[in-house]
Amino acid sequence: MKRILAVSLALMLVLSVFAVSGMAEGKQKVVVWTWYSEQLGPSICKAFEEKFPQYEVEAVNIPSAELEQKLLAAIAAGSGLPDASSLQGDSIQKFIAYGGLMDLTDKITPMVPDYPPYKIANDTGSDGKIYGVPIDCGPCALYYQTEIAAECGIDPAVDFATWDAWLASGEKYKAKGYALARMTEVGDSGALGMWTQQQSQSLFDEEGNPTLNTPEFIKSATLLKKLWDSGTTGDWAEWTPQYNDAVVGKKVGTLYGAAWYMNVFIHSFDDARNWAIVPLPAFEGSDVRTSNLGGSEMIIPEGAENPEGGWEFIKFYVGSTESANDRLNALGEFPAYRPLYKLPEVESKTAKYFGDQKVFAFFNDLLPSVPSYRTPAPFLAIRDNLLAPELPKLMSGELTPEAWAANCQTLAEAIVKDF
Amino acid sequence: MSTGRFVRAYGNCYAFVLPFFVLFGIFGVYPMFYSLYLSFVNWTPKKMTFIGLGNFQKLIADPVFWTSIKNTLYLLVINVPLMTLLAVIFAYMFNDSYIKGRRAYQLIYLLPYVTSTVAISIVFRILFDDANGWINVFLNRVGLPSVKWLRSEGVAMWTYNILIIWQWTGYNMLILLGGLQSIDNTLYEAAYIDGSTRSKNMLYITIPHLMPVIWFCLIMSTIGTFNSFVPSKVLFSPAGGPGYATYTITFYQYLQTFQNFRLGSGAAIAFSILIFVAVLSIPQVVRAIKDR
C-alpha cells in the first residue's frame, strides 16, 4: 500500500512539472501588472496573443494604490518585477526620480507625435528621457444638465464663459432649488490643481521647488473659497451615494471633470440622461478652456525579465488604434493615443447620454490646449498630504486665500527639502 | 553533563521549539533590526545613504509627526480606559448564570472583533455619513440636529473612538470573562457565609483577582491603539482628514513610507512608535508582574 502511495505521489509530482512547463512551452511569458486586467483579459490580451503567438500574457490585477507599493518593493528588492506595468500619471515622476524605470526614449520617439504633448512631458524625467507611454488622459470640461439649465434660464455660452459668470449663475440655480455644483467644507485639492493647471501653472517650478504663492494658485484658492461661500453648492462628497443620488435625482446643475467622467456617468447614472459637455469656463484674461485630471501610463521596470515582450505588449496596448478603439468602446475610456480620433467611426461617434453630442471629437479637440503640468517626486505629498489636510483652514475662513497659500508654501518648502 | 548526553537528553525538546525560533528570527527579529538600520539611512528604492540621526532630527522638527502623536495619545487616553471599563462590566454581567442567553450575547459582543476593520470602516462610513447617515437620521427623528461625524475636525476623533471601542470591547470582554471564570468559587462561598455583599465581593475578591488580566487588556489595547491605521485610511475622506484630525502615528508612517517613498523616515517613525509603546507599556507590565 505504501509503495503504491509513494509511486502515485512521485507520478503526480512529475506530471505537475510537465504540466507547468508544458503551459509555457515555446512561449515567452509577459507579466503585466495593472488595475485594468478586467478589460485586458478578455479582449486585449487575447488579441495580442493572436497577433504575437510567441508571447503569453499574464495580466495580474492589482488595485492602483497597492500596485505602487508592490512595484516599489519589487524595485527595491530587484526581483519579482513585472515586464510591464500601469502607473497613475501623478505617480510616474516619483518612480523616475528614484530610479527603477527603464528608459524608453529610443523606443517611443517615433510614436511621440501620437500622444498629447502634455502627457509626454509628464512621462519625461528631468534628464530629458522618456520613461512611460500614456494609456489614457483626462482633458477637463464642464458637464451640465440640460433640462435644469433650461428651467433656470441658463445660457451656456454666456453663463459658462468664465468662472465668475459660472459662479454668478449659481443664484439662478439656487432660485429654482438646484445646486450649482458639489462642495464640502473639506474642500477639493484636485480642483485646486486642475484650476492651477488651467492657468498654465503647476504646483512646482522647473527645478522642482514648490510654487504655491503664485497669483495663479491664489486665484484657484479664491475660486474654491468663493464657491463654498456662495451657498449655491450641494454638500456632497464626490462619488458617494448621496452625490450619486443628487446626479440621478437632478439636484445638481453642473460639475467640472475629466473626459473619463463620461464613463462613470454612463455606467453609474443610467437614469440621469440629458447632460451636455462644454469647455471649462475661462479665468479672466485667459482663453484656456481646459485642464487635466487623472490619466495613467505604462512603464517597464529596470530588471524586468522580458522587457522586449513588455514593450511589444505596451505598443499593442496603448500604441495601436485597434486596441485603443477596443478600450474606448468597452469602457468608455479616453485613450491618449490620438490617431484613434482620426478614425471616421470615432470622430463621428455620438453618445445618447449626452444628447448625441460627438463627445470623443469634442475632447480630442481640447487636447492640444491642455497646459503641461509638473508632477515631480513630492507632488502627491504636497497635493494629498499637505493641501488636502490644510484646506479646512481656507474653507472655514481661518486664513485668507493669500495667507493660506503663503502658509502652504512654507510647509511645502520644508517637505520638498526632505525629498 | 557532557554535550553528547545533553543533546541525547534534551535534543528532542530543543528540536520541537526550534522551528518557532527560526521563523521568529527570520520574520520577527531580522526585520526589526533591519528597520532599525533603515531608520539611520536615507533610502529611496535604488539608493541608500547613511545619515545617522538625520531621520529622527527631521521627525522632531515635523509638526505633522507631533500632530499624529497627539491624535494617537488622545485616542489612547479616551478609548483604553473606557473600553476596559466597559469590558469589565460586560464580562461581569455575562459571567452571571442568571442572565438568559448569555452565550448568545457573548458571541454578539465578540463579532465586531472578528470582523475586518476595513468592512467595519465602510459600514461606519454609511452609518455616520454627515448628510444621510443612519445616525443623523435618527438624531433628526428625535429632534436633535445633525452632527458632522466625518467632516468636522472636532468630532472626527470621537467617531474614531466609537469605532475602536465598539470593535475591541468584545475582545477584552472575552479575555476578562476567562479571568473571571478562573477565580475560585469557594472564595465567594466563604465570603457569602461571612456575610459579604455582592458589591463587597466585587471590590475585594473579583477586582483584585482580575487585576493581572485587566493589566493584560490595558497593555494589548495600548499596543492596538498605537497600531490603529485602517479607520484613518478608510473611514475618513480625504484619508486622515478632515484636516489632520485623524492622522494617527501609524497612518503617518504609511504615508511617509508608501506614498512619499521616504523609507528611512518611515522606519524612524516605526521606531518612535516602538519607543512610545515601550514607555507606556513598561509601567503596566511592571504592575502586572507585581500583581501576580
Side-chain angles (χ1 to χ4, degrees), chain A residues 65 68-69 72 75-78 94-95 98-101 183-186 228 235-237 240-242 245 302 377 380-382 384-390 392-393 398 411 415 417-419, chain B residues 42-47 55 58 63-64 125-126 129-133 148 150-153 233 237-245 247 251-252 254-263 265:
Chain A
E68 274 191 33
Q69 293 166 19
L72 166 71
I75 288 172
K94 205 161 54 175
F95 282 88
Y98 293 146
L101 299 192
M183 188 51 65
T184 69
E185 66 265 67
V186 295
W228 176 241
D235 188 13
W236 311 294
T240 56
Q242 293 74 33
D245 286 349
E302 267 181 355
L380 290 178
I382 298 299
D384 295 348
N385 306 336
L386 171 66
L387 295 182
E390 287 291 328
K393 290 179 188 164
E398 185 184 330
L411 295 170
I415 292 173
K417 210 170 113 186
D418 187 31
F419 267 79
Chain B
N42 185 13
W43 184 30
T44 59
K46 283 290 197 183
K47 209 170 77 181
N55 286 323
K58 279 176 199 162
V64 182
R125 210 171 159 160
I126 296 165
D129 183 82
D130 296 334
N132 296 319
K148 300 231 167 188
L150 305 179
R151 277 192 257 145
S152 161
E153 287 187 80
K233 180 89 175 101
S237 178
Y244 300 100
Y247 267 56
F251 178 70
Y252 191 49
Y254 162 82
L255 288 183
Q256 287 289 55
T257 310
F258 295 109
Q259 194 160 320
N260 301 340
F261 288 7
R262 314 309 298 160
L263 306 179
S265 183

Side-chain angles (χ1 to χ4, degrees), chain B residues 6-22:
Chain B
F6 182 84
V7 170
R8 271 195 301 279
Y10 302 111
N12 54 349
C13 305
Y14 282 98
F16 277 119
V17 294
L18 188 65
F20 164 76
F21 284 103
V22 169

